[in-house]
Amino acid sequence: FNLACLRRRAEKTKMRLCSAARRSITLAALVERIPVLTPPVPVWKSESEEIGHTMADALCKVYPEKFTAAEEGPDRKQARLKLKALVEKEGSREGKGDRTADERSLARKLSCRLYLLLRIDGEWQLPQTQWASERGAGESGASAREEVAVAVAARCGEELQLHWMGNAPIAHLATADTPATFFWRLQHFGGAVHPTAEVEDYGWLTKEELAERLGAGELSQLVVEMCGPFD
C-alpha cells in the first residue's frame, strides 16, 4: 500500500513538473554572504562567564609578584602597544560599510548573513531569469542551474565567486497570477559585484532589510523562510 501510494505521488509530482516545464518559469538565486565575525555574546552568557572567572580567580593560587613579574624593556613595550593598536583597529565589529552607510559594501553587518538584492526597472528583486523548457533544457540547451549561473554573471559580473549549496532548488513559489519561481541558494566566497547597465542599484542586505525591500506578500515571506532562523 505504501509503495503504491508513493508511486501515485511521484506520478503527480512528475505531471506538475512537466506542466510547469511547458510554460515559462522564473529561476532565482538567493546569494548569501556568511558572517565574517561571530555574533555578539548574549548577556546571559557573558554574565555566566564572568561569574565563572570570578570563582576561578578566588580559588586559584597566587604566587609572590617577584616570581611572576618581569621588567618590560622598551622594545617589548613598543611591540605590545603596536599590537594593541592593531587589534583595536582591525578587531572592530563595525565595518567600513557600516561607517559610511554603504549597502553595496560587503564590509557591513559583519556578524550577520547578508543577501544580494538587485533593483531593475525600479523594482527590487533577487538575481533571476526567465526559463522556457519542454524537455528539461532551455533554448540554449543549458540546464536550469546553468541558466541561473548565466543570469547572475550577466547582471553582477563574472568576478563574483559563488558556491552552490546543493544541486536542487531549495524552494519554489507558484501563484495564479505569476509564473512559478524556483530558488537556488548560493554562497559568496570571493569577488565583487560589477553590475551591468540594466541594474540600477544593488545591496547586500540582512534578512530584515531584504523582506522590507521585497514588500509584503508571499514572496517576501518565503524568502525570509529560505534565509533560515539565522541573524
Side-chain angles (χ1 to χ4, degrees), residues 13 22 24 31-32 72 75 94 107 116 124 138 142 149 156 190 202 210 213 217-218 224 231:
T13 301
R22 285 192 289 269
S24 177
V31 182
E32 172 191 48
E72 186 178 43
D75 293 340
E94 185 181 70
L116 180 61
W124 285 99
C156 305
Y202 72 92
L210 190 69
R213 299 293 169 86
E218 293 183 57
V224 169
D231 293 331

Side-chain angles (χ1 to χ4, degrees), residues 29-37 93-98 101-118 126-127 160-163 165 184-189 193 202-211 213 223 226-228 230-231:
L30 183 68
V31 182
E32 172 191 48
R33 187 222 68 185
I34 61 174
V36 180
L37 300 176
R93 301 191 71 87
E94 185 181 70
K96 182 179 179 181
D98 295 312
D102 182 10
E103 291 184 342
R104 292 186 171 196
S105 174
L106 281 163
R108 67 182 298 266
K109 305 293 183 181
L110 302 179
S111 62
C112 298
R113 295 173 185 266
L114 299 183
Y115 304 91
L116 180 61
L117 203 62
L118 310 178
L126 297 172
L160 207 60
Q161 300 178 51
L162 304 172
H163 172 70
M165 304 299 289
W184 275 260
R185 191 186 195 108
L186 297 90
Q187 201 168 83
H188 170 270
F189 68 89
V193 175
Y202 72 92
W204 289 98
L205 309 175
T206 63
K207 179 172 62 176
E208 292 75 20
E209 294 169 340
L210 190 69
R213 299 293 169 86
V223 169
M226 287 191 295
C227 292
F230 316 107
D231 293 331

Side-chain angles (χ1 to χ4, degrees), residues 161-176:
Q161 300 178 51
L162 304 172
H163 172 70
W164 290 85
M165 304 299 289
N167 294 319
I170 59 171
H172 86 282
L173 177 65
T175 63

Side-chain angles (χ1 to χ4, degrees), residues 2 7 39 55 78 87 93 155 161 165 173 191 196 214:
N2 290 336
R7 285 177 176 172
M55 293 179 62
Q78 183 179 4
V87 170
R93 301 191 71 87
R155 290 168 176 78
Q161 300 178 51
M165 304 299 289
L173 177 65
T196 54
L214 292 175

